[in-house]
Amino acid sequence: MKESLVKQAIEVLENNHQDGGFTIPAQGLYPFQWKWDSGFIAIGYAHYDMGKAMQELASLLNAQWGNGFIPHIVFHYDSDTYFPGPDFHRSQLHPLASKKLRSTGLVQPPVLGFVLEKLYEVSNRNPTVLGFIDDQIDKVYENHVYFYENRDINNEGLVYIYHNWESGTDNSPMWDDIWPTMNPPEYEFERKDTTHVDPSQRPTKREYDHYLYIIEIAKQYNYDDAKIAQHSPFLVLDPLFNAMLLRSNEALIKLYGLLKRGEGKAQYLKEKHALGVQGMNTKLYHESSGAYLHFDLRSNTLLPYISSSSFAPLYAGVPSGERAQQLIQTLKEKFGGEDKYLCASFDPTHEKFNPKKYWRGPVWINMNWIIYQGLKRYGFEDLATRVKNESIELVAKHSFYEYFDCRKVNPDGDSNAYGGNNFSWTASLLIDFLN
Ligand code: 9YW
């Protein structure tokens, strides 16, 4: 089974690979290069074609802006199968935006630091890979500096996101409390995602109105960070996003050590890192939920919802041993019943849980990979093995879908696998799980 799954996974990646040296997440549905997808995709390539892995990252970093910003989508070419495209986002409004490549003016979770580290590990410390890291690492460092200098408005080592698309968890119920604080117009536009995927598995039109509205505000200020921090109706400290930044800090510090250079840079990261770990534990941890939560900087409160993002800080070594135990309790009690696959993207015991709808409940393989790494880090071997085996089982049973139903018995008797098929990060992370 293992060989045939890996073979199929490779086929998915090869079919989604583009001539420009990057990989799309899924044909039709997502026809461009997405930031955190590319990071996860590079991990899969690393196991069988290191050249492609390095090219994937280089093509993304080639779209970096003059201020260190790395965009969430790079529009290497036009495509009419996705909305909103480059003509809506208009990254060129920002004076330091890439002149070579059009993109969005949004970011996505900062995974590139730990992806570089992973490539080196998978390569068995190959000097060519270290040479590649030497060429690229400063760009990733500049990206972290961008975050700390522009998005840490309280100087607490925690950086904000100004849009739900920046979180990577687009329509999570988390944001439901924020939408009523704005009243966007009813925009007229043609959705494309709902022509590729059953609309009941995607966000609603009204949710999209909100998504577009926040970007319209950012565009009004030419994507100026300080203005966005002042005016965006959406401003959140996300535990997943910040955990990825912290885990990537660790990787960059380690890699600079291996390269025997960049001491000042490593020192800068160490200071921000210590502050960030402390910030996560004081500001984002909610004792009675036994979980890290999202902090809404507009209402100055924690958003009272537990999601798969709540467990990401394990991967960055953020919780103390005792706190990690509490997190595991929460994971087991709320997400880990015998009747469920780990790990639902949203609290299955909550009334807002929806097992079929995108980030409102289904299992995502990238989140399982992050949680798996975190469980391993703290020595929760049994639970880690369970997450890994269930990820493999879901794909083996249903193929390389974008997201999966966490219910072992689905009362509706439908497919249990949703969104796009032949989805790149499902394939690439499966290759990593099987290695
Ligand atoms: C969209 C590409 C992206 C992921 C996001 C996921 C989805 C795109 O697909 O967003 O148009 O809504 O939520 O995490 O990077 O796979």
Side-chain angles (χ1 to χ4, degrees):
M1 178 193 90
K2 181 180 155 181
E3 281 79 47
S4 102
L5 263 183
V6 170
K7 201 166 149 240
Q8 289 169 48
I10 291 176
E11 233 170 84
V12 170
L13 288 181
E14 294 298 314
N15 285 335
N16 289 342
H17 187 263
Q18 307 295 302
D19 288 342
F22 65 94
T23 308
I24 58 172
Q27 292 186 21
L29 185 61
Y30 306 130
F32 306 112
Q33 182 175 32
W34 261 259
K35 179 189 173 187
W36 76 328
D37 296 66
S38 269
F40 293 125
I41 288 165
I43 291 174
Y45 283 141
H47 288 283
Y48 75 98
D49 187 340
M50 192 55 85
K52 273 209 178 93
M54 295 190 287
Q55 202 184 35
E56 184 71 35
L57 300 180
S59 68
L60 177 70
L61 289 166
N62 195 28
Q64 185 166 32
W65 296 9
N67 60 350
F69 179 102
I70 300 172
H72 113 285
I73 306 178
V74 185
F75 302 112
H76 291 273
Y77 42 57
D78 288 326
S79 166
D80 58 7
T81 73
Y82 182 84
F83 174 85
D87 295 338
F88 176 81
H89 285 284
R90 299 177 59 209
S91 54
Q92 60 278 13
L93 287 170
H94 192 288
L96 295 174
S98 166
K99 305 283 179 277
K100 290 181 286 195
L101 288 162
R102 291 187 298 171
S103 72
T104 63
L106 305 166
V107 298
Q108 259 191 333
V111 299
L112 297 182
F114 68 77
V115 171
L116 285 179
E117 184 190 11
K118 179 80 184 173
L119 258 50
Y120 188 54
E121 230 175 80
V122 173
S123 79
N124 280 325
R125 297 163 196 266
N126 180 313
T128 308
V129 175
L130 194 59
F132 170 77
I133 292 171
D134 201 1
D135 287 345
Q136 305 291 335
I137 189 171
D138 290 344
K139 299 181 191 167
V140 182
Y141 168 77
E142 289 304 333
N143 186 235
H144 286 218
V145 174
Y146 159 78
F147 282 124
Y148 287 123
E149 300 304 321
N150 295 287
R151 289 182 173 225
D152 177 9
I153 50 174
N154 297 320
N155 269 319
E156 56 195 349
L158 299 174
V159 305
Y160 72 72
I161 53 171
Y162 80 87
H163 197 287
N164 52 305
W165 277 335
E166 295 201 310
S167 70
T169 61
D170 304 5
N171 70 334
S172 174
M174 213 72 69
W175 323 127
D176 290 1
D177 293 356
I178 301 179
W179 304 139
T181 67
M182 31 184 135
N183 188 19
E186 297 260 3
Y187 295 110
E188 265 183 46
F189 57 91
E190 197 189 335
R191 283 280 283 278
K192 298 290 167 78
D193 56 325
T194 43
T195 63
H196 306 292
V197 168
D198 177 347
S200 71
Q201 297 164 16
R202 295 283 307 178
T204 62
K205 153 77 170 68
R206 193 60 188 142
E207 279 172 304
Y208 257 70
D209 284 336
H210 292 81
Y211 304 174
L212 301 183
Y213 178 64
I214 309 170
I215 297 173
E216 290 296 2
I217 293 172
K219 287 196 306 196
Q220 222 176 303
Y221 297 106
N222 299 328
Y223 290 115
D224 179 281
D225 291 295
K227 296 267 171 46
I228 288 172
Q230 230 180 320
H231 299 286
S232 174
F234 187 114
L235 216 70
V236 169
L237 303 174
D238 179 326
L240 167 63
F241 196 99
N242 279 283
M244 297 299 94
L245 186 64
L246 292 170
R247 182 63 192 82
S248 284
N249 280 341
E250 286 184 331
L252 294 179
I253 293 165
K254 183 171 156 200
L255 293 172
Y256 276 124
L258 287 172
L259 291 168
K260 301 193 173 44
R261 68 172 182 88
E263 263 170 52
K265 291 175 179 154
Q267 191 51 35
Y268 173 90
L269 293 176
K270 276 181 195 160
E271 282 163 26
K272 295 296 179 190
H273 189 80
L275 203 58
V277 170
Q278 192 189 358
M280 288 275 261
N281 280 318
T282 47
K283 195 153 181 173
L284 303 193
Y285 193 74
H286 189 241
E287 205 67 44
S288 60
S289 302
Y292 292 89
L293 305 181
H294 293 68
F295 189 91
D296 180 353
L297 286 165
R298 288 288 169 248
S299 64
N300 228 4
T301 49
L302 282 170
L303 298 168
Y305 305 105
I306 303 170
S307 66
S308 52
S309 302
S310 299
F311 308 109
L314 287 166
Y315 182 31
V318 170
S320 62
E322 194 187 323
R323 204 162 258 189
Q325 289 286 353
Q326 290 171 14
L327 270 180
I328 297 315
Q329 266 320 100
T330 309
L331 181 68
K332 282 188 181 158
E333 278 168 20
K334 291 192 179 283
F335 296 70
E338 290 286 291
D339 57 338
K340 287 186 193 66
Y341 291 107
L342 283 170
C343 175
S345 49
F346 189 73
D347 179 356
T349 65
H350 198 282
E351 59 182 11
K352 284 178 181 279
F353 169 74
N354 180 336
K356 300 180 186 196
K357 203 168 175 122
Y358 210 36
W359 288 98
R360 302 181 76 89
V363 176
W364 288 73
I365 299 301
N366 67 326
M367 289 308 303
N368 272 13
W369 187 90
I370 290 167
I371 293 167
Y372 169 77
Q373 307 298 334
L375 294 169
K376 292 279 284 185
R377 179 170 184 155
Y378 281 81
F380 298 112
E381 290 296 331
D382 291 352
L383 212 49
T385 305
R386 182 176 158 194
V387 172
K388 175 173 165 169
N389 289 345
E390 293 186 353
S391 305
I392 297 168
E393 185 182 332
L394 281 167
V395 179
K397 265 196 177 147
H398 304 294
S399 185
F400 296 87
Y401 271 87
E402 192 179 4
Y403 37 100
F404 301 89
D405 206 307
C406 71
R407 297 168 303 174
K408 289 193 176 157
V409 178
N410 172 354
D412 309 327
D414 55 13
S415 75
N416 272 58
Y418 312 118
N421 194 0
N422 299 318
F423 189 69
S424 293
W425 81 37
T426 304
S428 62
L429 295 176
L430 202 84
I431 295 174
D432 191 59
F433 271 138
L434 289 170
N435 262 279

